[in-house]
Amino acid sequence: MERMSHMILGTGRCAEHPYYIDRFYVNLYSVEELCYILVDKAEMLDQEIMQRDMVRWLDEECGLSDLAHALYALLNQKGSTAAYVGTILEYVCLYSPEAIARTEEIVRSNEGLSPYERHKAKADYLLKEKRYFAAMEQYYTLLTKLSDEDRLLQAKIYHNMGAACAGMFMYERAAQWFIKSYEIDGRQESLLLYLASQRMNHPDKEYIEYIAEHPEYHDASLKVERMMERAAGAFEGSDENRMLVTLQVFKEEGSGIFGNTAPYYDEIERLTAELKEKYREYTV
């Protein structure tokens, strides 16, 4: 029986000169690539994506005059970002109507964000892409702009700065940011990650003594042990940083209630020590 292949017909032509989106550090050569960015990075989009240079590129480089005219009309009428994105996606028909509607809704919800929240979203994107130093620079800059009235936003920033430091194996610094976040908004996730960072940064004996000196952290420490047990399984046989796997476990489990404490695996200790040594060699 002959196998049928599925083809996706391109819209317009491939550009000789790419369009560079500095927000995402990417060159685009076709409208399909643009559509992928619009859907994949929908939570990052705002009015900055609505550029006349982009419309001119679609017209002159991709040969999409009809689409360009529709987008020019939106720009002239000061249309919304959601309408701009939706117009492109609907014209190209690369995604289903449901996916397009979902993308428009995400973009529409982001239009109500404050400038500070948009700034944070940019930093969060860098964090997600594991560009930790760049993310930290953005977070630091944003903190200098916030007032005392923005305490809850500060807490979220401190939390994500902790995650960035953890990604760079800087567990002591990560712990400082996580506890700073927890002291502001009392979010359980920040406390758990604070203890996880402490767990990673100290020998077993020191960590146990620390928990004994802080009985208020006892229940949370049991949750951390359970989460790290799960992370051990995910980490086994890979080169990933166990702390990053633990972060994923926290994301999946949230603040659910776990059972009794679990043993801390010697194998994980060995692998973690190796990763720390590699990191030291890298930074020398």
Side-chain angles (χ1 to χ4, degrees), residues 7 28 31 61-62 67 71 82 107 128 131 147-148 157 171 173 180 191 208 213 232 263 265 271 284:
M7 298 177 59
L28 303 179
V31 70
E61 290 288 336
C62 299
L67 175 59
L71 295 177
V107 175
K128 180 180 178 181
R131 302 184 57 165
S147 66
D148 291 339
I157 294 171
Y171 300 122
R173 192 60 178 151
K180 197 174 181 69
L191 175 60
I208 292 172
E213 293 170 359
Y265 293 112
L271 292 171
V284 172

Side-chain angles (χ1 to χ4, degrees), residues 246-274:
T246 302
L247 287 171
Q248 181 61 35
V249 173
F250 286 158
K251 181 178 180 181
E252 293 174 359
E253 295 290 353
S255 58
I257 299 175
F258 299 93
N260 295 327
T261 186
Y264 198 67
Y265 293 112
D266 292 338
E267 178 65 4
I268 290 301
E269 287 286 289
R270 181 184 68 78
L271 292 171
T272 302
E274 290 178 0

Side-chain angles (χ1 to χ4, degrees), residues 3-279:
R3 174 176 290 181
M4 300 292 293
S5 61
H6 296 278
M7 298 177 59
I8 298 177
L9 298 178
T11 302
R13 61 175 179 263
C14 186
E16 292 186 9
H17 302 95
Y19 180 79
Y20 182 70
I21 300 184
D22 55 2
R23 168 76 65 86
F24 305 115
Y25 311 97
V26 64
N27 280 317
L28 303 179
Y29 286 87
S30 69
V31 70
E32 285 81 14
E33 292 178 346
L34 173 58
C35 288
Y36 173 80
I37 290 293
L38 296 179
V39 173
D40 188 59
K41 313 297 184 187
E43 70 278 0
M44 284 287 295
L45 302 180
D46 55 31
Q47 288 188 330
E48 288 184 17
I49 201 68
M50 301 171 63
Q51 299 294 328
R52 289 186 180 274
D53 285 347
M54 176 188 287
V55 180
R56 189 178 305 113
W57 174 79
L58 288 169
D59 187 3
E60 298 174 359
E61 290 288 336
C62 299
L64 300 173
S65 298
D66 290 344
L67 175 59
H69 290 157
L71 295 177
Y72 276 131
L74 274 173
L75 292 177
N76 293 334
Q77 298 167 8
K78 301 186 184 303
S80 69
T81 307
Y84 182 90
V85 170
T87 298
I88 297 174
L89 295 178
E90 290 173 4
Y91 183 90
V92 179
C93 294
L94 184 63
Y95 293 92
S96 68
E98 293 76 16
I100 294 174
R102 183 167 60 251
T103 301
E104 288 182 293
E105 181 57 33
I106 293 173
V107 175
R108 192 175 296 111
S109 66
N110 289 342
E111 289 179 322
L113 297 179
S114 69
Y116 296 148
E117 290 170 326
R118 290 197 185 100
H119 190 151
K120 178 180 174 295
K122 295 177 183 179
D124 291 346
Y125 171 76
L126 293 171
L127 175 61
K128 180 180 178 181
E129 294 295 309
K130 300 183 181 180
R131 302 184 57 165
Y132 300 122
F133 284 108
M136 289 295 289
E137 289 179 353
Q138 290 293 325
Y139 287 132
Y140 272 121
T141 300
L142 180 54
L143 285 173
T144 63
K145 300 177 181 180
L146 298 179
S147 66
D148 291 339
E149 297 177 356
D150 300 308
R151 295 288 286 168
L152 292 181
L153 184 57
Q154 287 176 354
K156 293 178 181 178
I157 294 171
Y158 291 144
H159 179 94
N160 288 358
M161 290 173 75
C165 288
M168 295 185 286
F169 297 83
M170 299 165 58
Y171 300 122
E172 182 176 2
R173 192 60 178 151
Q176 294 172 0
W177 291 123
F178 284 133
I179 195 63
K180 197 174 181 69
S181 176
Y182 175 71
E183 289 171 348
I184 293 175
D185 65 6
R187 203 155 55 112
Q188 183 79 350
E189 183 183 5
S190 296
L191 175 60
L192 295 177
L193 290 175
Y194 164 71
L195 294 176
S197 299
Q198 294 282 45
R199 190 73 169 88
M200 291 291 295
N201 195 50
H202 295 91
D204 287 358
K205 186 174 183 295
E206 289 184 14
Y207 177 75
I208 292 172
E209 290 175 350
Y210 175 77
I211 296 300
E213 293 170 359
H214 295 81
E216 68 274 19
Y217 296 153
H218 179 264
D219 290 345
S221 71
L222 299 184
K223 297 178 183 179
V224 168
E225 292 301 320
R226 180 62 177 271
M227 289 177 174
M228 285 196 165
E229 179 187 8
R230 281 197 56 202
F235 181 79
E236 185 177 0
S238 76
D239 293 329
E240 286 184 299
N241 174 0
R242 181 166 62 87
M243 183 60 181
L244 297 184
V245 180
T246 302
L247 287 171
Q248 181 61 35
V249 173
F250 286 158
K251 181 178 180 181
E252 293 174 359
E253 295 290 353
S255 58
I257 299 175
F258 299 93
N260 295 327
T261 186
Y264 198 67
Y265 293 112
D266 292 338
E267 178 65 4
I268 290 301
E269 287 286 289
R270 181 184 68 78
L271 292 171
T272 302
E274 290 178 0
L275 284 172
K276 287 183 177 180
E277 184 59 33
K278 289 180 182 178
Y279 177 72

